[in-house]
Amino acid sequence: MRLLLASILSVIVFVDLGTGCLAEEFLLVDQSAWPGKLLATRGENIESFWQRGASVDQRDVPKIQSLTILPDGGLAFCSGLDRSVILLRNGRESQLHHGGSLVRQVRTDINGDLYWSGLETPIDSNPIPDGYIHRRRHETGQVETLITFSQE
């Protein structure tokens, strides 16, 4: 079933909702939607789950590229085209982080810590800047840069 979904929707991301149901449920990202859209699978059906509003903060691009589930059941996502990590709880967006490099991916680990990557695209003949992996600790909310990596 997952292969069929991928071919129908082109680029999607699977996040296991962990609902404890007998049937698997997944949250999917429609990366081509503007504004960004989340879809949910219910058995063999795909239903619209949530869509970003068109009037987001002017610094943010209203798409969704990468998505992860948080320990409290909320979601964290990024557009891949701006500098923000967005939280979604109870149908409402809030900005967890803005600044630094372009946020390309978000992930959580088994402890509930949230990770995101920051990366710039070089412009013209400028040198390629370093990239970063950041972590927000679930227990304390402390944000730190874990890794700096070279793109050269």
PDB file of all heavy atoms in Angstrom, residues 79-97:
ATOM      1  N   SER A  79       9.220  24.096   5.994  1.00  0.00           N
ATOM      2  CA  SER A  79       8.901  24.187   4.565  1.00  0.00           C
ATOM      3  C   SER A  79      10.092  23.786   3.705  1.00  0.00           C
ATOM      4  O   SER A  79       9.927  23.489   2.534  1.00  0.00           O
ATOM      5  CB  SER A  79       8.476  25.614   4.200  1.00  0.00           C
ATOM      6  OG  SER A  79       9.612  26.462   4.165  1.00  0.00           O
ATOM      7  N   GLY A  80      11.289  23.827   4.272  1.00  0.00           N
ATOM      8  CA  GLY A  80      12.490  23.577   3.491  1.00  0.00           C
ATOM      9  C   GLY A  80      12.938  24.787   2.693  1.00  0.00           C
ATOM     10  O   GLY A  80      13.970  24.755   2.038  1.00  0.00           O
ATOM     11  N   LEU A  81      12.155  25.879   2.756  1.00  0.00           N
ATOM     12  CA  LEU A  81      12.439  27.065   1.953  1.00  0.00           C
ATOM     13  C   LEU A  81      12.621  28.332   2.791  1.00  0.00           C
ATOM     14  O   LEU A  81      12.771  29.413   2.242  1.00  0.00           O
ATOM     15  CB  LEU A  81      11.303  27.290   0.949  1.00  0.00           C
ATOM     16  CG  LEU A  81      11.065  26.146  -0.037  1.00  0.00           C
ATOM     17  CD1 LEU A  81       9.779  26.375  -0.808  1.00  0.00           C
ATOM     18  CD2 LEU A  81      12.257  26.005  -0.969  1.00  0.00           C
ATOM     19  N   ASP A  82      12.567  28.197   4.120  1.00  0.00           N
ATOM     20  CA  ASP A  82      12.754  29.366   4.983  1.00  0.00           C
ATOM     21  C   ASP A  82      13.541  28.951   6.229  1.00  0.00           C
ATOM     22  O   ASP A  82      14.062  27.860   6.305  1.00  0.00           O
ATOM     23  CB  ASP A  82      11.409  30.020   5.332  1.00  0.00           C
ATOM     24  CG  ASP A  82      10.454  29.080   6.040  1.00  0.00           C
ATOM     25  OD1 ASP A  82      10.888  28.310   6.923  1.00  0.00           O
ATOM     26  OD2 ASP A  82       9.259  29.105   5.716  1.00  0.00           O
ATOM     27  N   ARG A  83      13.610  29.827   7.223  1.00  0.00           N
ATOM     28  CA  ARG A  83      14.445  29.619   8.398  1.00  0.00           C
ATOM     29  C   ARG A  83      13.649  29.224   9.638  1.00  0.00           C
ATOM     30  O   ARG A  83      14.109  29.413  10.750  1.00  0.00           O
ATOM     31  CB  ARG A  83      15.239  30.891   8.668  1.00  0.00           C
ATOM     32  CG  ARG A  83      16.090  31.306   7.492  1.00  0.00           C
ATOM     33  CD  ARG A  83      16.809  32.602   7.703  1.00  0.00           C
ATOM     34  NE  ARG A  83      17.458  33.140   6.536  1.00  0.00           N
ATOM     35  CZ  ARG A  83      18.320  32.531   5.741  1.00  0.00           C
ATOM     36  NH1 ARG A  83      18.638  31.304   5.944  1.00  0.00           N
ATOM     37  NH2 ARG A  83      18.864  33.134   4.721  1.00  0.00           N
ATOM     38  N   SER A  84      12.464  28.653   9.460  1.00  0.00           N
ATOM     39  CA  SER A  84      11.574  28.401  10.593  1.00  0.00           C
ATOM     40  C   SER A  84      11.311  26.923  10.836  1.00  0.00           C
ATOM     41  O   SER A  84      11.226  26.126   9.907  1.00  0.00           O
ATOM     42  CB  SER A  84      10.222  29.079  10.358  1.00  0.00           C
ATOM     43  OG  SER A  84      10.372  30.478  10.312  1.00  0.00           O
ATOM     44  N   VAL A  85      11.165  26.594  12.133  1.00  0.00           N
ATOM     45  CA  VAL A  85      10.605  25.328  12.576  1.00  0.00           C
ATOM     46  C   VAL A  85       9.253  25.680  13.178  1.00  0.00           C
ATOM     47  O   VAL A  85       9.161  26.528  14.069  1.00  0.00           O
ATOM     48  CB  VAL A  85      11.498  24.628  13.626  1.00  0.00           C
ATOM     49  CG1 VAL A  85      10.831  23.363  14.145  1.00  0.00           C
ATOM     50  CG2 VAL A  85      12.873  24.329  13.051  1.00  0.00           C
ATOM     51  N   ILE A  86       8.201  25.060  12.673  1.00  0.00           N
ATOM     52  CA  ILE A  86       6.833  25.372  13.080  1.00  0.00           C
ATOM     53  C   ILE A  86       6.261  24.221  13.889  1.00  0.00           C
ATOM     54  O   ILE A  86       6.455  23.053  13.550  1.00  0.00           O
ATOM     55  CB  ILE A  86       5.935  25.626  11.839  1.00  0.00           C
ATOM     56  CG1 ILE A  86       6.548  26.688  10.923  1.00  0.00           C
ATOM     57  CG2 ILE A  86       4.519  25.969  12.239  1.00  0.00           C
ATOM     58  CD1 ILE A  86       6.615  28.074  11.496  1.00  0.00           C
ATOM     59  N   LEU A  87       5.542  24.559  14.962  1.00  0.00           N
ATOM     60  CA  LEU A  87       4.818  23.566  15.756  1.00  0.00           C
ATOM     61  C   LEU A  87       3.346  23.637  15.398  1.00  0.00           C
ATOM     62  O   LEU A  87       2.810  24.722  15.170  1.00  0.00           O
ATOM     63  CB  LEU A  87       4.983  23.838  17.250  1.00  0.00           C
ATOM     64  CG  LEU A  87       6.401  23.808  17.790  1.00  0.00           C
ATOM     65  CD1 LEU A  87       6.391  24.101  19.288  1.00  0.00           C
ATOM     66  CD2 LEU A  87       7.068  22.472  17.511  1.00  0.00           C
ATOM     67  N   LEU A  88       2.692  22.487  15.365  1.00  0.00           N
ATOM     68  CA  LEU A  88       1.251  22.413  15.125  1.00  0.00           C
ATOM     69  C   LEU A  88       0.635  21.637  16.270  1.00  0.00           C
ATOM     70  O   LEU A  88       0.925  20.460  16.470  1.00  0.00           O
ATOM     71  CB  LEU A  88       0.964  21.715  13.791  1.00  0.00           C
ATOM     72  CG  LEU A  88      -0.512  21.512  13.448  1.00  0.00           C
ATOM     73  CD1 LEU A  88      -1.217  22.859  13.277  1.00  0.00           C
ATOM     74  CD2 LEU A  88      -0.653  20.668  12.184  1.00  0.00           C
ATOM     75  N   ARG A  89      -0.203  22.336  17.050  1.00  0.00           N
ATOM     76  CA  ARG A  89      -0.923  21.710  18.160  1.00  0.00           C
ATOM     77  C   ARG A  89      -2.365  22.179  18.110  1.00  0.00           C
ATOM     78  O   ARG A  89      -2.623  23.372  17.990  1.00  0.00           O
ATOM     79  CB  ARG A  89      -0.299  22.099  19.493  1.00  0.00           C
ATOM     80  CG  ARG A  89       1.066  21.491  19.723  1.00  0.00           C
ATOM     81  CD  ARG A  89       1.521  21.706  21.159  1.00  0.00           C
ATOM     82  NE  ARG A  89       2.719  20.977  21.434  1.00  0.00           N
ATOM     83  CZ  ARG A  89       3.924  21.519  21.467  1.00  0.00           C
ATOM     84  NH1 ARG A  89       4.082  22.803  21.246  1.00  0.00           N
ATOM     85  NH2 ARG A  89       4.985  20.772  21.727  1.00  0.00           N
ATOM     86  N   ASN A  90      -3.289  21.228  18.199  1.00  0.00           N
ATOM     87  CA  ASN A  90      -4.718  21.541  18.185  1.00  0.00           C
ATOM     88  C   ASN A  90      -5.110  22.421  16.999  1.00  0.00           C
ATOM     89  O   ASN A  90      -5.902  23.340  17.128  1.00  0.00           O
ATOM     90  CB  ASN A  90      -5.126  22.210  19.502  1.00  0.00           C
ATOM     91  CG  ASN A  90      -4.828  21.337  20.686  1.00  0.00           C
ATOM     92  OD1 ASN A  90      -5.094  20.138  20.670  1.00  0.00           O
ATOM     93  ND2 ASN A  90      -4.264  21.921  21.731  1.00  0.00           N
ATOM     94  N   GLY A  91      -4.505  22.160  15.842  1.00  0.00           N
ATOM     95  CA  GLY A  91      -4.851  22.893  14.628  1.00  0.00           C
ATOM     96  C   GLY A  91      -4.269  24.281  14.536  1.00  0.00           C
ATOM     97  O   GLY A  91      -4.584  25.025  13.615  1.00  0.00           O
ATOM     98  N   ARG A  92      -3.386  24.665  15.475  1.00  0.00           N
ATOM     99  CA  ARG A  92      -2.801  26.009  15.472  1.00  0.00           C
ATOM    100  C   ARG A  92      -1.295  25.948  15.308  1.00  0.00           C
ATOM    101  O   ARG A  92      -0.620  25.174  15.960  1.00  0.00           O
ATOM    102  CB  ARG A  92      -3.124  26.727  16.776  1.00  0.00           C
ATOM    103  CG  ARG A  92      -4.606  26.879  17.002  1.00  0.00           C
ATOM    104  CD  ARG A  92      -4.802  27.873  18.066  1.00  0.00           C
ATOM    105  NE  ARG A  92      -5.762  28.822  17.526  1.00  0.00           N
ATOM    106  CZ  ARG A  92      -6.437  29.631  18.258  1.00  0.00           C
ATOM    107  NH1 ARG A  92      -6.248  29.668  19.553  1.00  0.00           N
ATOM    108  NH2 ARG A  92      -7.308  30.450  17.717  1.00  0.00           N
ATOM    109  N   GLU A  93      -0.802  26.815  14.442  1.00  0.00           N
ATOM    110  CA  GLU A  93       0.635  26.925  14.209  1.00  0.00           C
ATOM    111  C   GLU A  93       1.270  27.890  15.196  1.00  0.00           C
ATOM    112  O   GLU A  93       0.683  28.920  15.523  1.00  0.00           O
ATOM    113  CB  GLU A  93       0.908  27.515  12.822  1.00  0.00           C
ATOM    114  CG  GLU A  93       0.690  26.612  11.684  1.00  0.00           C
ATOM    115  CD  GLU A  93       1.137  27.263  10.371  1.00  0.00           C
ATOM    116  OE1 GLU A  93       2.187  27.921  10.336  1.00  0.00           O
ATOM    117  OE2 GLU A  93       0.403  27.094   9.390  1.00  0.00           O
ATOM    118  N   SER A  94       2.485  27.573  15.621  1.00  0.00           N
ATOM    119  CA  SER A  94       3.307  28.530  16.362  1.00  0.00           C
ATOM    120  C   SER A  94       4.749  28.318  15.928  1.00  0.00           C
ATOM    121  O   SER A  94       5.137  27.217  15.535  1.00  0.00           O
ATOM    122  CB  SER A  94       3.161  28.354  17.874  1.00  0.00           C
ATOM    123  OG  SER A  94       3.613  27.082  18.277  1.00  0.00           O
ATOM    124  N   GLN A  95       5.516  29.376  15.986  1.00  0.00           N
ATOM    125  CA  GLN A  95       6.892  29.302  15.521  1.00  0.00           C
ATOM    126  C   GLN A  95       7.791  28.909  16.691  1.00  0.00           C
ATOM    127  O   GLN A  95       7.856  29.605  17.699  1.00  0.00           O
ATOM    128  CB  GLN A  95       7.298  30.658  14.970  1.00  0.00           C
ATOM    129  CG  GLN A  95       8.520  30.609  14.123  1.00  0.00           C
ATOM    130  CD  GLN A  95       8.756  31.940  13.453  1.00  0.00           C
ATOM    131  OE1 GLN A  95       9.113  32.882  14.129  1.00  0.00           O
ATOM    132  NE2 GLN A  95       8.544  32.005  12.155  1.00  0.00           N
ATOM    133  N   LEU A  96       8.453  27.772  16.552  1.00  0.00           N
ATOM    134  CA  LEU A  96       9.387  27.318  17.579  1.00  0.00           C
ATOM    135  C   LEU A  96      10.727  28.008  17.413  1.00  0.00           C
ATOM    136  O   LEU A  96      11.370  28.400  18.373  1.00  0.00           O
ATOM    137  CB  LEU A  96       9.570  25.796  17.497  1.00  0.00           C
ATOM    138  CG  LEU A  96      10.719  25.245  18.330  1.00  0.00           C
ATOM    139  CD1 LEU A  96      10.355  25.306  19.796  1.00  0.00           C
ATOM    140  CD2 LEU A  96      11.065  23.843  17.924  1.00  0.00           C
ATOM    141  N   HIS A  97      11.149  28.138  16.167  1.00  0.00           N
ATOM    142  CA  HIS A  97      12.478  28.684  15.895  1.00  0.00           C
ATOM    143  C   HIS A  97      12.441  29.456  14.585  1.00  0.00           C
ATOM    144  O   HIS A  97      11.792  29.040  13.638  1.00  0.00           O
ATOM    145  CB  HIS A  97      13.490  27.526  15.776  1.00  0.00           C
ATOM    146  CG  HIS A  97      14.829  27.951  15.275  1.00  0.00           C
ATOM    147  ND1 HIS A  97      15.759  28.525  16.091  1.00  0.00           N
ATOM    148  CD2 HIS A  97      15.383  27.894  14.038  1.00  0.00           C
ATOM    149  CE1 HIS A  97      16.844  28.795  15.376  1.00  0.00           C
ATOM    150  NE2 HIS A  97      16.643  28.421  14.133  1.00  0.00           N
TER     151      HIS A  97
END
